[in-house]
């Protein structure tokens, strides 16, 4: 079976999962962490090299203060608890987004873990935190403009690789497959540049219910898709 090298996931539906059970929304997020753990395990089993998870968007700062602080607490606990497991399994942690906006202790833990796992090569787990794609592109444009202003780069020298190299995802391959859970068919400001040729799968399952089995089904569906990258099927099939 053809396996994506880079899988990206919009983990949606935690709030609805909790609301359906008349539970506080944070319990949906807590259950969502269990799905994160089982999906990471399943990705390792399949040899997926890069997994990017949309854990907190730039827009999520606008949620009720309680929910934001509970999510940050959950993230901090997750990071501290996971470090030994990440190391043991050869997982390198990366982050994309405005990491400086995270609460000090969460930011510090994140940086520590990224440093401690920098040499791990089995899989890269990339967390999108305080992430918005338009914000990322805007910051990249600013960095490129600064290089041009400094005489370090010619405007004519700017190509697609220049843009990619100035994004938070620099060095990561583009996702081959994006999965969004919870029945919503939107990209929601996630990896707009990087998803140009990705296969998209929208699952009806709410993220806290998303299991290893659901991931396997999505991988089977991905394996059946023909990726043409703008070419014709005949061109791809010719030797
Ligand atoms: C979307 O569900 C989910 C989030 C905004 C947060 C995702 C966070 C986790 C799964 C837990 C923490 C992550 C890690 C990596 C430890 P929603 O609240 O928008 O759901 P709704 O659309 O049903 O309201």
């Amino acid at each position: 079976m053809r396996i994506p090298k880079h899988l990206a996931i919009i983990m949606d539906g935690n709030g609805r999962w909790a609301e359906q059970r008349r539970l506080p929304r944070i319990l949906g997020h807590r259950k969502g962490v269990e799905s994160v753990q089982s999906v990471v395990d399943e990705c390792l089993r399949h040899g997926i090299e890069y997994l990017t998870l949309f854990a907190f968007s730039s827009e999520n700062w606008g949620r009720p203060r309680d929910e934001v602080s509970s999510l940050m607490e959950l993230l901090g606990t997750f990071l501290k608890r996971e470090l030994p497991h990440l190391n043991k399994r050869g997982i390198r942690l990366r982050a994309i987004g405005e990491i400086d906006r995270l609460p000090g202790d969460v930011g510090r833990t994140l940086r520590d873990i990224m440093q401690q796992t920098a040499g791990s090569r089995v899989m890269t787990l990339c967390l999108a935190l305080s992430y918005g794609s338009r914000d990322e592109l805007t910051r990249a444009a600013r960095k490129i403009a600064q290089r041009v202003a400094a005489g370090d780069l010619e405007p004519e020298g700017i190509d697609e690789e220049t843009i990619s190299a100035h994004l938070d995802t620099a060095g990561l391959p583009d996702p081959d497959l994006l999965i969004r859970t919870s029945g919503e068919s939107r990209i929601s400001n996630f990896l707009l540049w990087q998803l140009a040729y990705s296969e998209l799968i929208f699952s009806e399952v709410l993220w806290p219910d998303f299991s290893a089995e659901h991931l396997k089904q999505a991988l089977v569906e991905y394996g059946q898709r023909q990726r043409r990258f703008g070419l014709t099927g005949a061109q791809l099939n010719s030797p």
Side-chain angles (χ1 to χ4, degrees), residues 11-16 25 29 32-33 55 60 63 78 127 207:
M11 311 181 287
D12 197 11
N14 295 348
R16 272 163 288 164
R25 291 175 58 87
H29 297 308
V33 175
N60 287 154
R63 290 196 174 192
F78 167 83
L127 298 182
W207 178 251

Side-chain angles (χ1 to χ4, degrees), residues 118-183:
S120 299
R121 282 294 174 269
V122 177
M123 183 172 96
T124 298
L125 172 62
C126 175
L127 298 182
L129 293 165
S130 188
Y131 176 84
S133 189
R134 288 184 172 186
D135 169 66
E136 177 193 34
L137 283 160
T138 307
R139 287 186 283 108
R142 209 173 288 140
K143 283 183 250 175
I144 294 170
Q146 279 161 354
R147 287 190 56 198
V148 171
D152 184 28
L153 187 66
E154 291 295 323
E156 296 73 25
I158 300 172
D159 57 14
E160 293 187 7
E161 275 173 28
T162 317
I163 310 279
S164 294
H166 287 81
L167 295 173
D168 297 349
T169 48
L172 301 178
D174 288 340
D176 302 291
L177 171 63
L178 170 78
I179 300 175
R180 181 177 187 145
T181 59
S182 91

Side-chain angles (χ1 to χ4, degrees), residues 9 16 23 34 47 51 54 58 87 97 127 129 131 140 143 170 191 195 214:
I9 307 184
R16 272 163 288 164
L23 295 169
E34 292 176 26
L51 172 64
F54 203 178
S58 312
N87 270 333
L127 298 182
L129 293 165
Y131 176 84
K143 283 183 250 175
L191 302 174
L195 291 174
H214 293 115

Side-chain angles (χ1 to χ4, degrees), residues 32-235:
V33 175
E34 292 176 26
S35 301
V36 169
Q37 286 158 331
S38 70
V39 161
V40 168
D41 286 344
E42 194 60 18
C43 286
L44 282 171
R45 254 196 294 280
H46 286 282
I48 290 173
E49 292 175 52
Y50 299 86
L51 172 64
T52 297
L53 300 175
F54 203 178
F56 194 84
S57 73
S58 312
E59 292 75 26
N60 287 154
W61 291 113
R63 290 196 174 192
R65 200 149 20 129
D66 277 5
E67 184 168 340
V68 171
S69 57
S70 304
L71 266 169
M72 288 300 141
E73 210 178 297
L74 200 60
L75 180 66
T77 316
F78 167 83
L79 290 172
K80 285 186 190 128
R81 202 185 43 215
E82 284 302 305
L83 176 62
H85 304 292
L86 296 180
N87 270 333
K88 208 166 59 197
R89 293 179 295 172
I91 301 176
R92 167 171 69 148
L93 188 71
R94 248 189 92 153
I96 54 173
E98 288 187 295
I99 303 310
D100 293 344
R101 282 188 75 183
L102 299 175
D105 56 330
V106 178
R108 268 191 300 280
T109 309
L110 188 66
R111 284 194 188 86
D112 271 3
I113 300 183
M114 287 196 288
Q115 206 176 4
Q116 290 181 49
T117 62
S120 299
R121 282 294 174 269
V122 177
M123 183 172 96
T124 298
L125 172 62
C126 175
L127 298 182
L129 293 165
S130 188
Y131 176 84
S133 189
R134 288 184 172 186
D135 169 66
E136 177 193 34
L137 283 160
T138 307
R139 287 186 283 108
R142 209 173 288 140
K143 283 183 250 175
I144 294 170
Q146 279 161 354
R147 287 190 56 198
V148 171
D152 184 28
L153 187 66
E154 291 295 323
E156 296 73 25
I158 300 172
D159 57 14
E160 293 187 7
E161 275 173 28
T162 317
I163 310 279
S164 294
H166 287 81
L167 295 173
D168 297 349
T169 48
L172 301 178
D174 288 340
D176 302 291
L177 171 63
L178 170 78
I179 300 175
R180 181 177 187 145
T181 59
S182 91
E184 311 284 0
S185 309
R186 288 189 291 272
I187 301 294
S188 298
N189 201 15
F190 188 46
L191 302 174
L192 298 178
W193 173 273
Q194 299 88 336
L195 291 174
Y197 285 104
S198 309
E199 294 298 321
L200 310 179
I201 292 183
F202 298 102
S203 162
E204 292 298 318
V205 178
L206 301 177
W207 178 251
D209 289 327
F210 194 82
S211 63
E213 198 45 50
H214 293 115
L215 177 58
K216 262 189 243 168
Q217 285 166 17
L219 294 178
V220 169
E221 185 177 337
Y222 169 79
Q224 289 161 351
R225 302 250 183 115
Q226 188 189 43
R227 304 187 70 196
R228 290 197 292 274
F229 299 97
L231 303 180
T232 67
Q235 281 176 303

